[in-house]
Amino acid sequence: MDAIGFQNNPKPTLQVMLQTIEDLISRDDQREKDGFPRRIRLGRIVKPNKNNQKVVVVPTTTEPKFYHDDSVTSDEQETGGTGDGQEGEVIGEAPAESQQGEGEGQGAGQGGDGEGHDVVADAFDLGRILTQKFQLPNLKVKGKKRSFTKYKYDLTDRNRRTGQLLDKKATLRKIIQTNILLGNLDEDGLIDPEKMVLNPQDEIYRILSAEKDFETQAVVFFLRDYSGSMQGKPTESVTSQHLLIYSWLMYQYNENVETRFILHDQTAKEVKDFHTYHNSSVAGGTNVFPAFELVNKIIEEESLYIDNNIYVFYGTDGDDWDSDGKRALEETEKILVHANRMGITVARNTWTTGTTTVERYFEQSGLLKNKPDLIRIDAFSANDADEARLIEGIKKLVEQKA
Amino acid sequence: MKIIDQHTKKIMEDCKVRARDAGLCFDNESLEYIVTNQDLIELSPKGMIPTLYDYWVNDVETLKGKGQYKLYPHNPYETVINSRPAISYYNDNNPDWLNIMIFYHVIGHIDFFQNNILFEHTWSDDFVGKALADKRHIAQLRSQHGRWVDYIIEFSRSIDNLTGYFTELSIRNFPQNMEPTDKLRYYFDEFLPKETLANIGKIYSEIERYNILLESNDMVAESMFFSDIKSKHPEFESKFQKYKDIRKERSIDIMDFIRDNSPFLKRDENQWMKAVINIVRDTSLYFAPQIRTKTINEGWASYWHDELFRKDDRIKGHESEYSVINAKVTSISRVGYNPYAIGLRLVQYIESLADAGKISREYQLILNSERRDEFNKISGKGKEALFNLRSQFSDFMLINTYVDQDFVDLHKLFVVGERLNQQRGTVEYYVKSKKAEDYKRMLIDNMYHPPFITIDTEKSNDKKLFLKHHFEGKQLYKPYINDTLLGIEYLWFGNIAQGEVILETTDIIKRKGSEDSVSFEYKPIHYIISNKKVSKRYL
């Protein structure tokens, strides 16, 4: 090793060569073109905390090799231990769904309401990556409503030495800085501009650049079933998928999209933030319509339809005590008057065979056929849904043409 | 990353003197660096080798490490690498007494690297220097061939756990004159029985004839022997040449077989790929002993930091702080496996056995348990046994030889099982077995043991590469089979396949019988990849 090199250069090439998540993802795109499978996955490391759950987005990858696999012949994990205890004695337990650590990033935490604003900050990060990696089709505004993403050109960016307009204030500041460093300014505060050295590097110009101009024009409703039957995998799938959608919206619309969260079992309630929405534990029985009813109530009362695009994402395991879904369908029709898109996710339970109640009554209502541009359903078995499947689901829910 | 200050260096040099007095044996030179936790996050995907070649998977690991660190900051005490001179890394702000303890631990590792026979192939050169040359070579190749260099690295790494590490070691120690030459081998093993259809008697008499010649004049025995044969079998020479051509160059493992025989790599424009394969293979061989000596190496280093530091006068006033840190490192977990702890306990156990004269044939012959307990012939050979252990043993040998019921009982060890409690929605940890044989099996099952896969050279040619997995009761991890084959196919045929790569392995199929009885069926299977499509065929 060239030790001398390290001494002189305390940050060796390591730092310089490190690729960013973006580099890695564009490498992954290239892999596909070269005919090799993609390798980068995005994982989330979660640190659960009562008051704020921290999430960090990290890339993960695997290096496939030939390895031995014990899982077929041995049923359970084994490790070592020490201390007192008879054979067969239980010496500890842990929650079955681990809440911390890295992973493919699924799973809603248990626990009650809490302040959770870190989720928003990191969701922005996740969305940035999702938008680039998965190229989710952008939600577009239909009809005569204005676009809420537009560009304007402005002299906002700054550049040294060249540009369209000299930024006098910034330049002066830079000149003074340089001269302080050179020792040309007296400490007693008497400034003699003649003594100052003018370095062309200190000239700061403004240059014309494209700026995104955002206006809040969308309201997105997140609805989910948190009834008893949602325990476990279905909840995990729905909350994970909604976190992905939420993250992507936060990114694409620069956190300016307004979001509302509704939970329902037999009755529906609005909760104040995504954290609570994501983490609330399961409750009682299942009636779908109150949630839809609440959406309509909010839209009417706040006249949201006048200025806003409205999107509704609903997640369920497909169970509804109201087996013909009469009222749910009525409310859905009302929603569709105003909504640009309603996306329903059915994360089927393991014991479900065939289609679920919700899927069935939506199918029979003809809504899916008649208004394919306004309403979509994506159904899958919650047990088999990995992150890739969830993202596939989002594509189905938000794509432009059926 | 900066070199350690002179004050600390002096402290460490003092440690070296005391360690040598205690019998440890290591090179005079060593290099110590102060690193930040961020540096360590960047170094760890590279196996702590600062000069290792750049590769995007390492960047992924680094980004992941940084993310993890953001949420779960941690602070490793030290790391050593097996280089010449040995390099070790330290956090800054360590008080002197802690540096002394850490450095004793480091010396333990250096001593292990430089004396344990499994590291023999790393003794003669400095891997950090070699890695730097390799890193530059790869950087230069990248400027010419772009991302294809990374594909070759990837595909080489996909088989780098199949290197013939033990074969390399045994070749190194194999006496050169023990092997017959290719010609003799061909004559006796192939030509006589297969071409001339000679019977056993005839073969024996030919061997006898050769041995007589060898005894009388070993320098020219072979040429004399074959000059005779030339007249008897004029076709022998040409047949031998043909045999040599057909028989692929002898290879140690899959990697060097592919490097030397792949029709794709043989093309002029692809010669550079062989260099990449070599770099990946050498790197893997360098790490091979480390991965197989984790427990014994940590046990040995922990033994010595304790042994040396407790006797060091510089510990004065820091005894309790030391014992806290020492306990954090070396206490046996209630649940979980800590190689420092088990390694240390085994080393101490072996020392006590040897001190009592129990590592002897005399003791082994005693079957009566009372007499075994009473047996104590103070031999004072504990340390000697330990140094022998450090020179000769790997993790497997250590555990397989010394984990017995006495050891398991002494430290109240047991196997912990993990099962789901459906009602409570929790995972339960329970005491599964306190038997030494189960505990040993659990340790061995958790050890590094890559599958044994070789090339069937008879069945391989320019249109076909035939891999054979020698089944050891465990099937291959299925989700990775296709992707690994994809890489091998590329290395053999390139992007346009003109043949197939076949992997012969065994699938285990679980069958549930009546009353919860479970049986396993072992089914030989071929995985065949052609043009990036994998198909399966049961045999």
Side-chain angles (χ1 to χ4, degrees), chain A residues 1-4 6-7 9-15 17-22 24 27-28 30-41 44-48 54-97 99-102 122 125, chain B residues 1 3 33 39 42 46 50-51 54-57 59-60 62-64 66-68 71-72 87 126 128-129 135 147-148 150-151 154-155 157-158 160-162 332-337 411-420 424-434 441-442 446 449-451 453 469 472 474-477 480 483-484 486 488 490 503 508 510 520 532:
Chain A
M1 184 188 83
D2 59 346
I4 314 254
F6 274 106
Q7 262 177 288
N9 179 12
K11 281 280 165 210
T13 43
L14 283 168
Q15 199 86 46
M17 299 301 289
L18 188 65
Q19 300 185 42
T20 61
I21 293 187
E22 285 78 10
L24 291 167
R27 171 186 294 276
D28 228 23
Q30 182 63 47
R31 289 180 68 90
E32 212 160 38
K33 288 178 199 146
D34 290 335
F36 301 116
R38 303 184 81 102
R39 284 252 83 92
I40 304 284
R41 295 184 54 120
R44 299 195 289 280
I45 305 178
V46 181
K47 185 173 192 173
K54 287 191 175 177
V55 186
V56 171
V57 180
V58 290
T60 64
T61 189
T62 48
E63 290 197 85
K65 299 180 193 208
F66 292 131
Y67 290 116
H68 280 140
D69 180 15
D70 293 330
S71 61
V72 192
T73 36
S74 59
D75 284 344
E76 38 174 70
Q77 291 281 320
E78 284 182 354
T79 183
T82 185
D84 297 324
Q86 292 309 307
E87 284 185 10
E89 197 175 315
V90 174
I91 51 171
E93 60 178 6
E97 284 168 46
Q99 293 185 23
Q100 71 166 51
E102 60 180 285
D122 289 296
D125 215 18
Chain B
M1 196 154 137
I3 209 142
Y33 285 96
D39 288 335
E42 286 172 15
K46 298 184 163 208
T51 51
D54 295 302
Y55 182 48
W56 62 269
V57 170
D59 294 345
V60 170
T62 302
L63 289 171
K64 198 162 119 189
K66 287 186 175 201
Q68 232 153 14
L71 298 187
Y72 300 97
I87 295 174
D126 170 33
V128 172
K135 178 194 172 101
R147 63 182 187 281
W148 295 98
D150 292 277
Y151 288 128
E154 175 181 338
F155 301 147
R157 280 168 71 117
S158 78
D160 75 351
N161 59 336
L162 309 177
I332 314 177
S333 324
R334 174 77 167 144
V335 173
Y337 177 67
H411 296 291
K412 294 185 179 171
L413 302 174
F414 48 74
V415 178
V416 176
E418 224 181 286
R419 66 185 169 206
L420 197 69
R424 293 171 54 83
T426 55
V427 175
E428 279 178 356
Y429 301 95
Y430 69 102
V431 181
K432 194 172 178 185
S433 169
K434 299 175 99 172
R441 183 189 44 74
M442 182 274 296
N446 285 328
H449 182 67
I453 297 177
H469 169 216
E472 296 169 271
K474 292 177 182 183
Q475 67 176 17
L476 296 179
Y477 183 63
Y480 286 171
D483 283 356
T484 311
L486 188 75
I488 299 174
Y490 186 85
L503 168 71
I508 303 179
K510 192 174 182 174
F520 299 103
K532 296 181 178 164

Side-chain angles (χ1 to χ4, degrees), chain B residues 86-185:
Chain B
I87 295 174
S88 48
Y89 304 102
Y90 302 82
N91 264 292
D92 55 359
N93 302 331
N94 285 350
D96 285 351
W97 69 266
L98 183 60
N99 271 332
I100 295 170
M101 169 200 168
I102 295 171
F103 196 65
Y104 278 136
H105 190 88
V106 166
I107 289 177
H109 283 313
I110 298 176
D111 169 85
F112 194 88
F113 289 146
Q114 298 185 356
N115 292 287
N116 185 281
I117 201 79
L118 275 91
F119 290 82
E120 191 184 359
H121 65 296
T122 70
W123 288 347
S124 47
D125 51 22
D126 170 33
F127 187 72
V128 172
K130 178 177 159 17
L132 180 63
D134 290 345
K135 178 194 172 101
R136 288 180 178 148
H137 191 169
I138 284 192
Q140 182 232 330
L141 287 176
R142 240 184 224 123
S143 67
Q144 289 168 20
H145 306 285
R147 63 182 187 281
W148 295 98
V149 177
D150 292 277
Y151 288 128
I152 301 300
I153 296 178
E154 175 181 338
F155 301 147
S156 307
R157 280 168 71 117
S158 78
I159 44 175
D160 75 351
N161 59 336
L162 309 177
T163 50
Y165 161 64
F166 287 109
T167 317
E168 280 274 7
L169 272 190
S170 70
I171 289 174
R172 188 167 278 273
N173 288 308
F174 198 84
Q176 290 300 317
N177 53 1
M178 289 284 286
E179 281 276 286
T181 62
D182 278 356
K183 208 171 184 176
L184 281 171
R185 196 201 293 262

Side-chain angles (χ1 to χ4, degrees), chain A residues 116-387:
Chain A
H117 301 293
D118 268 68
V119 173
V120 177
D122 289 296
F124 182 72
D125 215 18
L126 176 63
R128 178 172 58 92
I129 291 154
L130 283 178
T131 308
Q132 289 175 2
K133 175 170 178 182
F134 304 110
Q135 291 146 12
L136 292 171
N138 296 339
L139 290 171
K140 275 197 188 145
V141 186
K142 299 188 303 288
K144 290 192 176 103
K145 287 172 184 168
R146 286 176 296 152
S147 158
F148 53 86
T149 308
K150 66 180 181 188
Y151 289 95
K152 67 174 183 184
Y153 288 86
D154 207 349
L155 286 164
T156 41
D157 282 13
R158 290 176 183 179
N159 192 34
R160 285 190 171 189
R161 299 198 69 164
T162 56
Q164 278 88 18
L165 184 76
L166 183 71
D167 185 332
K168 290 177 190 159
K169 198 171 170 185
T171 304
L172 200 57
R173 206 177 274 143
K174 205 76 204 166
I175 290 171
I176 292 172
Q177 245 175 32
T178 308
N179 282 285
I180 289 173
L181 288 172
L182 290 172
N184 289 344
L185 289 185
D186 289 335
E187 278 182 16
D188 52 21
L190 285 174
I191 295 170
D192 180 3
E194 300 221 319
K195 273 194 194 166
M196 291 204 201
V197 174
L198 295 183
N199 179 354
Q201 278 287 349
D202 291 339
E203 289 171 11
I204 308 287
Y205 288 89
R206 295 211 175 224
I207 55 172
L208 202 58
S209 58
E211 299 292 328
K212 261 187 181 174
D213 196 21
F214 296 100
E215 288 162 46
T216 309
Q217 269 206 123
V219 175
V220 179
F221 287 91
F222 286 100
L223 281 56
R224 79 172 171 94
D225 180 354
Y226 76 141
S227 64
S229 61
M230 290 289 289
Q231 172 90 43
K233 281 284 175 188
T235 295
E236 206 183 295
S237 302
V238 168
T239 52
S240 295
Q241 193 180 50
H242 283 183
L243 175 64
L244 292 169
I245 299 175
Y246 177 68
S247 310
W248 159 60
L249 291 170
M250 286 294 106
Y251 176 75
Q252 195 85 338
Y253 305 108
N254 203 19
E255 299 186 37
N256 280 341
V257 63
E258 196 187 326
T259 44
R260 305 291 283 264
F261 306 99
I262 293 170
L263 294 167
H264 81 82
D265 45 11
Q266 275 162 291
T267 57
K269 67 169 182 183
E270 187 177 3
V271 293
K272 64 182 185 321
D273 56 26
F274 190 82
H275 182 78
T276 319
Y277 176 74
H278 188 260
N279 293 328
S280 293
S281 311
V282 291
T286 318
N287 273 326
V288 175
F289 74 88
F292 294 174
E293 201 174 60
L294 184 57
V295 171
N296 283 321
K297 191 168 150 244
I298 293 171
I299 293 175
E300 289 294 329
E301 278 180 2
E302 301 179 20
S303 304
L304 292 175
Y305 56 88
I306 300 174
D307 287 328
N308 293 286
N309 298 272
I310 291 166
Y311 300 93
V312 179
F313 292 102
Y314 173 58
T316 172
D317 61 353
D319 191 22
D320 192 351
W321 288 1
D322 181 13
S323 61
D324 59 359
K326 191 162 169 280
R327 293 186 65 182
L329 288 169
E330 276 171 23
E331 294 296 333
T332 307
E333 297 223 25
K334 270 194 216 164
I335 291 176
L336 293 183
V337 172
H338 299 304
N340 300 42
R341 177 63 64 84
M342 182 167 175
I344 299 169
T345 306
V346 182
R348 293 192 198 112
N349 261 309
T350 38
W351 58 81
T352 312
T353 47
T355 51
T356 59
T357 313
V358 171
E359 283 171 80
R360 202 181 55 243
Y361 65 63
F362 269 104
E363 196 57 54
Q364 285 168 355
S365 71
L367 278 175
L368 299 172
K369 270 207 189 112
N370 299 335
K371 297 181 177 173
D373 217 28
L374 291 182
I375 181 165
R376 298 276 170 77
I377 280 196
D378 179 38
F380 50 83
S381 160
N383 237 8
D384 310 328
D386 54 7
E387 191 160 283

